[in-house]
Amino acid sequence: MTLPYEEYLAEILIDEETLQKRIRELGQQISKDYEGVDDLLLVCILRGGVVFLTDLMRQITVPHEIDFLAVSSYGKGVREASGRVRIDHDLMSEATGKHVLIIEDIIDSGYTLRFVMDVMMARRPASLKLCTLLDKPSRRTIHIPIDYVGFTIEDKFVFGYGLDLDDKYRNLPFVGVVRLDALPQH
Ligand code: IMP
Ligand code: MG
């Protein structure tokens, strides 16, 4: 994929200003909910969650650590959820006894996050909550309680702001809808 992203952009779904405003609100809410907690650990799911994490953490006033968990599903392709997920890169710090908040880009079928929540729960954190920038509830196969949602979106394939299109364009400051008809495989 060598063409600039405009070729693949159907529309801007959430612009930069709207994203940043909502992230400030989420940061305020999280800061309020975790007030007085001194062992908050933000666990970012790589790679999609990284842009969201770096903006969100600067809106959180509670002192906290950050760490990263890379997971991938066995299925390939933009729309497939195989239901099998594995850890590619584990946390570098201990989660046991800490208040863990998972930071994710998008929850689709729910398989990835169900796996992540189970893995983290087995480490006996003091608490475990989930924060996702985007939620696509219409695609959910596995029920998963979400504590903080940035935006609930329709069943559209999106990219930008951490989400990739063929591993690229994670740096776009907005969330855009992919023109599926412009992709070679579709
Ligand atoms: P789930 O396991 O089906 O919930 O899928 C979650 C993962 O699929 C996310 O972490 C994303 O990496 C990826 N994903 C789901 N929907 C989209 C999308 O619209 N654009 C880009 N990646 C997506
Ligand atoms: Mg991903």
Side-chain angles (χ1 to χ4, degrees):
M1 217 177 275
T2 51
L3 292 168
Y5 74 86
E6 281 93 342
E7 299 286 334
Y8 304 103
L9 181 66
E11 56 165 326
I12 292 179
L13 189 65
I14 311 168
D15 65 25
E16 185 171 3
E17 198 189 325
T18 309
L19 279 170
Q20 296 302 330
K21 179 171 176 282
R22 182 72 187 120
I23 290 165
R24 279 196 298 277
E25 291 170 1
L26 285 172
Q28 283 164 9
Q29 184 65 52
I30 290 165
S31 301
K32 203 167 145 234
D33 294 351
Y34 287 90
E35 200 182 335
V37 166
D38 63 5
D39 48 5
L40 174 59
L41 172 64
L42 306 183
V43 172
C44 172
I45 308 305
L46 293 176
R47 286 167 280 194
V50 76
V51 180
F52 180 38
L53 170 80
T54 55
D55 280 343
L56 180 65
M57 65 189 279
R58 285 177 285 176
Q59 302 297 332
I60 298 178
T61 53
V62 178
H64 59 270
E65 295 175 64
I66 59 166
D67 208 339
F68 301 89
L69 187 68
V71 293
S72 58
S73 62
Y74 292 52
K76 243 192 147 338
V78 290
R79 311 234 54 160
E80 288 158 42
S82 66
R84 286 177 298 164
V85 186
R86 63 159 184 251
I87 296 178
D88 291 331
H89 174 81
D90 208 337
L91 300 182
M92 291 165 275
S93 50
E94 284 289 327
T96 309
K98 292 179 185 165
H99 291 274
V100 173
L101 179 59
I102 306 288
I103 310 293
E104 172 65 313
D105 54 355
I106 187 164
I107 301 180
D108 193 42
S109 71
Y111 280 116
T112 306
L113 260 293
R114 180 73 273 157
F115 173 82
V116 167
M117 296 304 265
D118 290 348
V119 163
M120 292 309 302
M121 203 40 132
R123 297 178 185 184
R124 299 179 176 277
S127 69
L128 181 60
K129 285 194 186 185
L130 171 57
C131 175
T132 186
L133 179 69
L134 306 174
D135 181 20
K136 259 193 234 178
S138 58
R139 297 255 308 158
R140 201 64 38 81
T141 325
I142 290 194
H143 172 72
I144 175 147
I146 310 175
D147 301 283
Y148 304 97
V149 177
F151 301 89
T152 300
I153 64 168
E154 287 173 40
D155 180 15
K156 287 176 176 167
F157 199 78
V158 292
F159 73 122
Y161 200 77
L163 296 116
D164 71 299
L165 178 59
D166 197 27
D167 292 323
K168 298 185 191 74
Y169 307 124
R170 296 184 194 272
N171 58 315
L172 298 176
F174 56 80
V175 174
V177 177
V178 178
R179 258 188 63 199
L180 288 176
D181 64 321
L183 296 177
Q185 311 92 311
H186 293 263

